[in-house]
Amino acid sequence: MTMEQESTPSDVPGGDCTPTRMAAPPPPDPQFVLRGTQSAVHALHFCGGAQGQGHPLLLSGSLSGLVHIWSLQTRRAVATLDGHEGQCVTWLQTLPQGHQLLSQGRDLKLCLWDLAEGRNAVVDSVRLESIGFCRGSVLARGHQHWTLAVPGRGSDEANSSPRPLLLAGYEDGSVALWDVSERKVCSRIACHTEPVMALDFDSQKARGVSGSAEKALAVWSLDEQQALQALRTQELTNPGIADVKIRPDRKILATAGWDHRIRVFHWWTMKPLAVLAFHSATVHCVAFATDGLLAAGSRDQRISVWSLYPRT
Amino acid sequence: MAVFDTPEEAFGVLRPVCVQLTKTQTVENVERLQAQLQAVSDSALQELQQYILFPLRFTLKAPGPKRERLIQSVVECLTFVLSSTCVKEQELLQELFSELSACLYSPNSQKPAAVSEELKLAVIQGLSTLMHSAYGDILVTFYEPSILPRLGFAVSLLLGLAEQEKSKQIKIAALKCLQVLLFQCDCEDHPRSLDELEQKQLGDLFAAFLPGISTALTRVITGDFKQGHSIVVSSLQIFYKTVGFVMADEQLRRLSKVQAKPAVEHRVAELMVHREADWVKNTSDKLTILIKKIIECVSVHPHWKVRLELIDLVEALLVKCSQSLVESAGPLLKALVSLVNDESSEVQAHCSKALRHFADQKVVVGNRAFADILSENLHSLATSLPRLMNSQDDQGKFSTLSLLLGYLKLLGPRVNFVLNSVSHLQRLSKALIQVLELDVADIKVVEERRWNSGHLSASPRTSAAGPRRQIQRRYFRFFTDERVFLLLRQVCQLLGFYGNLYLLVDHFLELYHESVVYRKQAAMILNELVAGAAGLEVENLHEKHTETSPEELREIVTSILEEYTSQENWYLVTCIKAEEMGEELTVKQSGLQAITSGAHTCQVSSFLAFSNPSPTICSMNSNIWQICIQLEGIGHFAYALGKDFRLLLMSALYPVLEKAGDQTLLISQAAASAMMDICHACGYDSLQHLINQNSDYLVNGISLNLRHLSLHPHTPKVLEVMLQNSDASLLPLVADVVQDVLATLDQFYDKRATSFVSVLHALLAALARWFPDTGNLGQLREQSVGEEGSHLSQRLATLEEGLENTTTAEDIEQFLLNYLKEKDVADGNVSDFDNEEGLGCTGSVCGSSTVPQEPAPSLGSSDLALTRAPTHQR
């Protein structure tokens, strides 16, 4: 089954019911908004800052195939990468040293960029087979050695855990755990009735969350026998989750909704904490920085950056 | 041109005249002798010195009363001879000295004889010439203990003349002569420097006169200001040279414990002083009193040369007598410090030179380091500062603050010792806050309105030469002298420069929070602290001082800026609400006109029935000043950070621009000058350039504030100003923000439509300005396409098209009619007739509203304004 972006319900969902506990303080505003991609934003990734190599950067991939590199200090684009022949960029990931960038595009290419010392050139690229929504995943295994999972035909979202295991979300609504070295499926559960659009996994608590085109988030866990178990589902007001990310400190998670909203949940209890209404079109992606900053990219061509429940 | 070169010839000529004079002592005879002397060469005169002097001395010594005129001419003649010859014999020197001094001796009074001024002057000159004509070796032996009584007489005579004479000429001559007698003459006739032993002898001798000299000179110095500065200057010189000589540490250190018995008669021995420890202690105590008197009087002397001399005095005494005059060190330093900010630049320069010298040399006064004394002084000044600021008049405040400034300059980084004491910091800040209180009763501040909402046309280039701005005139409650304000600013700047900036900023931010009463003053102080920390206008006396690093400074500035621009400190009530509410044009002055006449006190506001809660004139006035001060601060911060401030523009530019359009004249002026400052500091050519380059930051602020329009009613105004001041490079951002505007307009179309309509008008005007005609358009298009990509070129294509078919009023009317029909169709209440006609002729326009993603083929600019059709509003 292929899902077209345009087939999402076009009319804006009317009364979005904010959780009642949130009634007292008005919903926050974004800390700032990045403009100028000139096209819908489909991928976001924070990089740098921690290694003392200057100020943190935010990378954004757009529908027009460009990757913008934003300085969070000046809040301006410092560079633009063009390597996907005008096709949408769906996934961005820097390798641990921060000087190399992987970008996945709808042109069925996965490019490796060298960004060190101001360079921005494609040094390698991999041909992909899938044209779906599935994003790649990278597992770092020691210095200069990474394992890359790229979607093949039919799979939807990939994610890996410390032992060479791979989580994949499928368009039939199921999530599967693969043992990479033995090339077999360890466990597979059906979480959703609609295609899985995004998933994220907390390896410390061995819990994961997945979002799909339907009106619910699924939370599942991985037990010691490497079996997946559905824990619970969290009902949403409007259907369609384009992306889900757990904050690096494992306290909260954020979802990107087709209903133009970003939703924030408590990761352990799945209690809804906030509905961030700013964008005027579908939110395609969310990303957390190591310091907790949240960024969301939307079809309205803006990237909003939020500072939520700052850690003290 | 001597006529008689040889002694023989001269003798032949002079002999009859001398004989004549010896026989009959008349003025005529003396004059005849003097006339003859003119024609004799110096060498011949030297040979005949004794011979010529004889009749003259004989005349002086002859018993019986003499006419003053005669004595005067004799003394003048003697002086003439002495000025051309040398005295080579000890005995002659002593005798002449006695004979000359005796001319002014009156047997029955302490005072100099009551003789004519001319005679006094002649005698003084005679004595001076005599001392100059003495041979070097003879002169040194002249100062032996036995001369003490005679020398003492001459000294007291000269002091008396200097003190009591009316004639300025005599006073000056007497002081000059005194200098010669005390070996302080700086003319070339005394080239020989004294060796240690000679110095000690002279020191012992002069020690006997020290009490007399110092008290008499102190009386002269502290006398009437009108006596003329040169007298005071000479007196100061003699004072410090004598004290510095007699009390010199170097000499006192070498003095033996036991007094070597001088071989002199008993009477003289009694007069001799032995400078042992007790004597030094006593004398220094007494001198301290005199020095304090002198400093008190001289540091406020109206003539700058006198104050300049005071610096020399302080320097000499501190360098030479730091041990012996340890008690005076405090007052002396204080005097020096208070002159650091003297109004005369010479004094200032000399003073800072002296201070730098002290700071560099690490001079130790007594057992205490120079710096310890200073910190102690600063401690005590900080303690008394609040009281002094309360009680003193402007002049007093000025000198107190000068002193404070001086201490800060001198202590440099060590000022932290004082600041680290909580109680001292509190006292210091209390005093500053107290004295900086503004007078907010002036009604004009609230009253003055800015009526023309014109362009921000002024370019900083016009004032490029002097980047530092002049500050808006402020009125303070506790002083009126502008110099006091200047000093206060300097004090704060120095505190920021040397002090622990984190500590100070924390402290004053706390005060800023604490009460609205302190807020304005605290903000003023914070502004200057930051300016000082950046080293603007601060003269550094301490080379090793490390300045605040740019990162730290930026951090601090960011936090202050956040505070300033926060909702509760930036959006204050500055005028009566009715004016605020959109309809400015109709309401205009109605609120205030009633109270413009004769209303100059705060009480006025009480009978004005303002709505509840009513802002008083005072509180609005105070709010206006607070905003102005904060705006000024932002300007300062920009200067302090320079190009680094560009990073802060994302949070600072929007609030400043917003205030630039404020109704209150003062605020808009302050904001305009803050914008100028930012322009200069960040290196932008003009305000337009500044706005243009940072439009993305502005758009960010505008878009976020539009979400809370009730809190930020001026947001549309800012957008308008931004549109007026930017060029076509803004275009990519325009679509985005116009979306926001339209979305907000949907929400508030009943209340705020006017302000939004004017925004849209500004937008269209801007579009027309950016793409004036097709000729330029082609160029622009090429330029922009490269930068902005294909999306823009599409839009430009439609613009171009729209502009080519020059739109007439009828076209616009037709467009509107069509649009209304469209709207009706969308609402579903149309007749068949309308429907048909509408479809028939408005096909192209339909496109623009039914297919929002496609650019409209005609009326290009409407693409931006109307892609979001109002039908979506429900």
Side-chain angles (χ1 to χ4, degrees):
Chain A
M1 172 187 172
T2 52
M3 282 271 309
E4 286 302 319
Q5 200 70 47
E6 286 70 28
S7 69
T8 54
S10 59
D11 55 332
V12 181
D16 184 78
C17 74
T18 316
T20 46
R21 278 181 224 93
M22 285 294 295
D29 276 334
Q31 199 180 32
F32 55 92
V33 178
L34 302 174
R35 295 175 168 81
T37 57
Q38 305 277 324
S39 139
V41 181
H42 278 259
L44 283 173
H45 178 69
F46 280 102
C47 114
Q51 303 99 307
Q53 54 166 10
H55 297 281
L57 300 173
L58 176 64
L59 306 162
S60 74
S62 69
L63 183 67
S64 60
L66 298 179
V67 175
H68 293 268
I69 302 178
W70 303 86
S71 158
L72 290 180
Q73 194 195 19
T74 62
R75 300 176 187 175
R76 284 175 178 160
V78 290
T80 308
L81 312 179
D82 185 5
H84 288 281
E85 292 158 23
Q87 298 294 307
C88 178
V89 176
T90 56
W91 181 64
L92 290 168
Q93 173 78 45
T94 47
L95 295 179
Q97 269 76 35
H99 296 310
Q100 284 160 304
L101 168 72
L102 289 168
S103 70
Q104 179 189 353
R106 286 267 166 77
D107 61 344
L108 301 185
K109 247 172 39 185
L110 189 133
C111 298
L112 177 66
W113 300 81
D114 179 12
L115 300 181
E117 292 157 12
R119 286 191 290 269
N120 45 16
V122 180
V123 288
D124 202 358
S125 69
V126 179
R127 192 82 202 147
L128 302 177
E129 291 173 1
S130 164
I131 201 167
F133 286 95
C134 187
R135 294 153 181 181
S137 183
V138 162
L139 170 64
R141 294 202 297 189
H143 190 61
Q144 296 290 318
H145 184 212
W146 305 286
T147 303
L148 171 69
V150 291
R153 209 176 294 277
S155 68
D156 195 88
E157 163 83 5
N159 202 334
S160 58
S161 68
R163 284 150 61 195
L165 298 171
L166 179 73
L167 283 163
Y170 291 87
E171 288 193 359
D172 64 0
S174 65
V175 173
L177 179 73
W178 288 80
D179 188 320
V180 177
S181 43
E182 295 180 29
R183 296 182 172 77
K184 71 175 176 71
V185 177
C186 298
S187 171
R188 182 163 186 155
I189 52 166
C191 299
H192 301 278
T193 54
E194 297 279 333
V196 176
M197 298 301 295
L199 61 81
D200 201 0
F201 187 72
D202 169 4
S203 52
Q204 244 174 37
K205 291 173 179 156
R207 278 194 344 155
V209 61
S210 58
S212 78
E214 64 180 6
K215 280 172 67 166
L217 285 173
V219 183
W220 29 266
S221 73
L222 181 63
D223 64 14
E224 273 137 35
Q225 283 78 46
Q226 288 165 13
L228 290 169
Q229 282 177 335
L231 287 182
R232 56 179 293 184
T233 55
Q234 172 68 39
E235 286 297 317
L236 302 172
T237 320
N238 297 307
I241 294 298
D243 198 2
V244 52
K245 288 278 164 60
I246 302 169
R247 197 162 74 177
D249 66 352
R250 301 185 183 84
K251 293 248 167 64
I252 58 174
L253 79 130
T255 65
W258 292 351
D259 60 354
H260 310 182
R261 265 62 162 181
I262 303 154
R263 285 183 162 72
V264 181
F265 298 89
H266 193 280
W267 170 220
W268 194 239
T269 62
M270 289 307 285
K271 190 173 88 178
L273 296 177
V275 178
L276 307 177
F278 171 77
H279 289 287
S280 55
T282 304
V283 183
H284 285 312
C285 49
V286 286
F288 279 110
T290 44
D291 64 356
L293 214 55
L294 168 68
S298 156
R299 208 182 69 173
D300 67 5
Q301 309 182 358
R302 307 186 217 191
I303 301 164
S304 55
V305 181
W306 309 71
S307 175
L308 299 170
Y309 310 106
R311 289 174 292 176
T312 48
Chain B
M1 265 323 129
V3 183
F4 310 107
D5 281 333
T6 62
E8 289 74 22
E9 285 174 338
F11 183 74
V13 177
L14 289 175
R15 204 181 79 96
V17 194
C18 285
V19 169
Q20 177 71 16
L21 180 59
T22 318
K23 280 182 184 158
T24 42
Q25 291 117 20
T26 60
V27 177
E28 292 72 31
N29 286 340
V30 177
E31 276 168 357
R32 201 167 300 130
L33 172 60
Q34 188 157 6
Q36 292 293 342
L37 287 175
Q38 307 279 352
V40 178
S41 74
D42 284 359
S43 56
L45 207 54
Q46 181 68 50
E47 291 286 311
L48 298 172
Q49 187 195 42
Q50 295 269 22
Y51 181 79
I52 301 160
L53 285 178
F54 175 78
L56 293 169
R57 291 173 62 193
F58 178 77
T59 312
L60 286 181
K61 278 192 285 193
K66 284 155 284 192
R67 287 183 301 136
E68 275 181 24
R69 184 75 189 83
L70 176 62
I71 302 177
Q72 186 195 334
S73 57
V74 169
V75 170
E76 275 165 5
C77 190
L78 243 173
T79 307
F80 175 78
V81 175
L82 290 173
S83 68
S84 317
T85 59
C86 276
V87 177
K88 291 179 177 170
E89 283 164 48
Q90 169 83 12
E91 211 171 316
L92 180 65
L93 179 62
Q94 287 188 1
E95 279 172 20
L96 280 173
F97 186 77
S98 312
E99 284 158 16
L100 277 173
S101 332
C103 292
L104 296 181
Y105 175 66
S106 78
N108 39 16
S109 89
Q110 292 284 317
K111 290 180 181 176
V115 291
S116 74
E117 292 192 339
E118 288 78 11
L119 178 54
K120 286 175 185 163
L121 200 58
V123 171
I124 294 169
Q125 237 115 47
L127 274 174
S128 181
T129 315
L130 173 66
M131 297 315 282
H132 275 112
S133 73
Y135 242 54
D137 292 334
I138 294 176
L139 193 62
V140 176
T141 46
F142 170 76
Y143 289 99
E144 60 184 9
S146 60
I147 197 76
L148 197 62
R150 276 175 275 178
L151 189 61
F153 171 72
V155 167
S156 67
L157 184 74
L158 291 169
L159 283 172
L161 289 171
E163 194 181 338
Q164 279 149 12
E165 273 310 309
K166 293 251 171 358
S167 152
K168 196 172 161 185
Q169 205 186 359
I170 294 181
K171 285 178 165 218
I172 290 175
L175 289 168
K176 280 265 180 314
C177 186
L178 200 56
Q179 279 181 322
V180 177
L181 281 185
L182 295 174
F183 256 85
Q184 293 165 6
C185 186
D186 46 5
C187 69
E188 288 170 12
D189 292 347
H190 310 276
R192 214 169 75 100
S193 60
L194 301 166
D195 63 28
E196 279 180 17
L197 191 68
E198 288 164 345
Q199 279 193 351
K200 181 193 164 298
Q201 280 177 351
L202 276 178
D204 279 341
L205 207 60
F206 293 161
F209 312 139
L210 188 63
I213 292 177
S214 53
T215 45
L217 287 178
T218 305
R219 280 198 297 272
V220 174
I221 292 166
T222 56
D224 193 355
F225 284 158
K226 288 189 206 106
Q227 66 183 324
H229 71 272
S230 50
I231 292 166
V232 184
V233 168
S234 310
S235 306
L236 278 170
Q237 239 170 42
I238 299 171
F239 182 90
Y240 75 74
K241 283 192 176 158
T242 311
V243 173
F245 186 73
V246 175
M247 302 293 283
D249 294 333
E250 228 178 68
Q251 280 195 42
L252 295 176
R253 209 179 302 133
R254 273 198 305 269
L255 282 177
S256 55
K257 292 264 185 257
V258 203
Q259 184 173 14
K261 276 278 173 225
V264 283
E265 51 182 295
H266 185 65
R267 265 188 63 222
V268 176
E270 263 183 357
L271 293 173
M272 288 291 290
V273 166
H274 181 61
R275 291 177 284 170
E276 81 279 320
D278 275 353
W279 181 87
V280 171
K281 178 82 184 64
N282 280 332
T283 314
S284 109
D285 285 350
K286 284 169 193 150
L287 280 175
T288 303
I289 299 170
L290 296 179
I291 287 171
K292 275 188 185 158
K293 262 192 194 167
I294 289 175
I295 287 170
E296 199 176 304
C297 176
V298 172
S299 55
V300 293
H301 199 281
H303 201 285
W304 64 272
K305 278 191 176 158
V306 176
R307 300 194 301 270
L308 198 65
E309 201 58 41
L310 182 62
I311 297 171
D312 285 338
L313 178 140
V314 172
E315 203 172 13
L317 292 187
L318 280 180
V319 168
K320 284 188 176 163
C321 315
S322 59
Q323 306 280 335
S324 53
L325 291 181
V326 69
E327 297 296 318
S328 309
L332 284 171
L333 272 182
K334 190 173 156 184
L336 198 54
V337 168
S338 66
L339 291 176
V340 165
N341 302 297
D342 199 86
E343 50 202 32
S344 143
S345 55
E346 279 97 340
V347 176
Q348 254 188 36
H350 194 63
C351 192
S352 28
K353 207 178 109 207
L355 286 173
R356 194 168 301 155
H357 171 74
F358 283 127
D360 289 352
Q361 300 289 308
K362 303 219 163 37
V363 174
V364 174
V365 180
N367 295 321
R368 299 179 304 167
F370 177 67
D372 291 346
I373 301 175
L374 286 175
S375 338
E376 198 173 285
N377 285 0
L378 181 54
H379 265 104
S380 62
L381 182 60
T383 311
S384 54
L385 199 58
R387 181 178 51 79
L388 291 174
M389 287 298 110
N390 228 350
S391 55
Q392 285 178 320
D393 60 357
D394 277 12
Q395 187 56 43
K397 283 193 182 92
F398 181 77
S399 42
T400 307
L401 289 169
S402 296
L403 191 62
L404 176 62
L405 187 59
Y407 285 139
L408 295 178
K409 271 191 185 172
L410 277 184
L411 275 172
R414 276 175 295 229
V415 64
N416 281 320
F417 292 129
V418 178
L419 297 181
N420 283 339
S421 147
V422 179
S423 66
H424 284 97
L425 176 59
Q426 264 169 1
R427 280 176 171 275
L428 193 64
S429 66
K430 190 181 162 199
L432 289 174
I433 293 259
Q434 180 189 312
V435 75
L436 277 170
E437 189 175 335
L438 286 169
D439 182 3
V440 292
D442 187 4
I443 189 134
K444 270 205 216 116
V445 173
V446 182
E447 197 184 82
E448 281 180 323
R449 284 278 174 273
R450 193 184 67 100
W451 292 119
N452 59 329
S453 55
H455 279 252
L456 298 157
S457 52
S459 151
R461 280 209 203 89
T462 54
S463 60
R468 287 293 276 180
R469 62 280 141 198
Q470 80 277 32
I471 285 187
Q472 286 173 326
R473 181 91 170 93
R474 306 227 164 101
Y475 299 91
F476 296 91
R477 267 187 71 184
F478 295 112
F479 63 91
T480 49
D481 193 339
E482 194 73 348
R483 292 179 310 157
V484 174
F485 181 46
L486 206 65
L487 271 181
L488 284 164
R489 287 180 55 203
Q490 284 174 319
V491 164
C492 295
Q493 284 169 4
L494 271 188
L495 281 175
F497 188 67
Y498 290 123
N500 178 345
L501 195 59
Y502 283 106
L503 176 79
L504 288 166
V505 167
D506 263 10
H507 181 81
F508 284 104
L509 268 182
E510 214 166 89
L511 287 173
Y512 180 91
H513 284 299
E514 196 173 303
S515 156
V516 72
V517 182
Y518 300 149
R519 198 156 293 156
K520 293 183 293 296
Q521 299 94 303
M524 265 189 266
I525 294 169
L526 283 168
N527 296 350
E528 300 299 338
L529 283 177
V530 170
L536 305 173
E537 296 178 357
V538 177
E539 173 203 15
N540 191 0
L541 290 172
H542 305 262
E543 273 150 33
K544 280 177 210 141
H545 173 58
T546 49
E547 291 175 28
T548 319
S549 76
E551 289 79 34
E552 283 174 348
L553 194 59
R554 198 171 69 215
E555 220 169 89
I556 288 168
V557 166
T558 310
S559 65
I560 303 177
L561 198 63
E562 215 166 84
E563 204 57 56
Y564 280 3
T565 54
S566 70
Q567 188 76 30
E568 69 268 22
N569 293 323
W570 195 253
Y571 299 99
L572 302 167
V573 180
T574 56
C575 56
I576 294 151
K577 267 283 181 274
E579 283 193 5
E580 283 280 271
M581 296 300 291
E583 292 80 25
E584 297 96 333
L585 293 175
T586 52
V587 183
K588 275 198 178 173
Q589 293 152 305
S590 64
L592 282 169
Q593 241 166 7
I595 50 168
T596 47
S597 57
H600 290 288
T601 56
C602 293
Q603 282 73 32
V604 175
S605 54
S606 59
F607 67 74
L608 286 169
F610 286 138
S611 60
N612 193 32
S614 67
T616 62
I617 297 285
C618 273
S619 73
M620 288 195 292
N621 201 329
S622 156
N623 287 343
I624 289 171
W625 277 120
Q626 190 189 329
I627 293 170
C628 288
I629 290 165
Q630 288 172 175
L631 280 165
E632 181 193 293
I634 292 175
H636 281 220
F637 299 161
Y639 271 107
L641 292 181
K643 288 232 161 58
D644 275 358
F645 193 76
R646 287 186 177 201
L647 278 178
L648 298 185
L649 283 178
M650 58 182 88
S651 51
L653 188 58
Y654 177 86
V656 175
L657 196 58
E658 189 176 351
K659 291 298 177 196
D662 200 281
Q663 292 279 300
T664 309
L665 182 70
L666 276 176
I667 294 181
S668 69
Q669 279 175 347
S673 82
M675 299 264 290
M676 288 296 193
D677 289 346
I678 293 173
C679 263
H680 273 297
C682 298
Y684 294 107
D685 303 336
S686 63
L687 291 181
Q688 275 84 355
H689 192 212
L690 169 72
I691 291 172
N692 214 10
Q693 293 286 303
N694 295 287
S695 45
D696 49 346
Y697 295 155
L698 284 173
V699 165
N700 194 41
I702 290 167
S703 137
L704 292 182
N705 284 341
L706 279 176
R707 286 158 59 84
H708 309 285
L709 195 66
S710 49
L711 290 179
H712 305 279
H714 298 297
T715 308
K717 196 84 192 161
V718 178
L719 179 55
E720 208 177 314
V721 172
M722 188 185 89
L723 287 169
Q724 283 165 359
N725 286 289
S726 31
D727 62 27
S729 59
L730 185 68
L731 203 58
L733 294 170
V734 166
D736 195 87
V737 78
V738 167
Q739 291 289 341
D740 286 328
V741 167
L742 293 173
T744 318
L745 183 52
D746 281 356
Q747 270 184 304
F748 295 98
Y749 69 95
D750 47 345
K751 285 182 194 143
R752 304 206 176 262
T754 41
S755 53
F756 283 107
V757 167
S758 75
V759 168
L760 295 174
H761 178 258
L763 170 70
L764 292 178
L767 286 171
R769 190 158 40 78
W770 295 342
F771 309 106
D773 58 47
T774 42
N776 287 352
L777 194 64
Q779 277 184 340
L780 251 179
R781 185 172 163 185
E782 270 172 42
Q783 255 184 352
S784 314
V785 168
E787 293 165 15
E788 316 295 348
S790 58
H791 190 72
L792 181 64
S793 76
Q794 260 184 1
R795 189 164 282 163
L796 277 169
T798 61
L799 277 170
E800 198 172 0
E801 222 171 292
L803 286 159
E804 271 166 0
N805 329 336
T806 45
T807 318
T808 64
E810 287 139 38
D811 289 339
I812 295 173
E813 188 188 350
Q814 188 59 46
F815 173 79
L816 192 66
L817 287 173
N818 291 336
Y819 169 73
L820 289 174
K821 271 179 200 145
E822 275 298 312
K823 192 166 179 281
D824 282 346
V825 173
D827 288 350
N829 49 1
V830 282
S831 66
D832 285 348
F833 173 74
D834 281 344
N835 205 0
E836 268 172 34
E837 196 182 314
L839 285 172
C841 68
T842 62
S844 62
V845 180
C846 280
S848 76
S849 58
T850 52
V851 192
Q853 296 309 309
E854 295 297 315
S858 69
L859 280 168
S861 52
S862 70
D863 166 39
L864 291 173
L866 296 171
T867 44
R868 182 154 160 68
T871 43
H872 289 289
Q873 79 190 23
R874 265 155 291 149

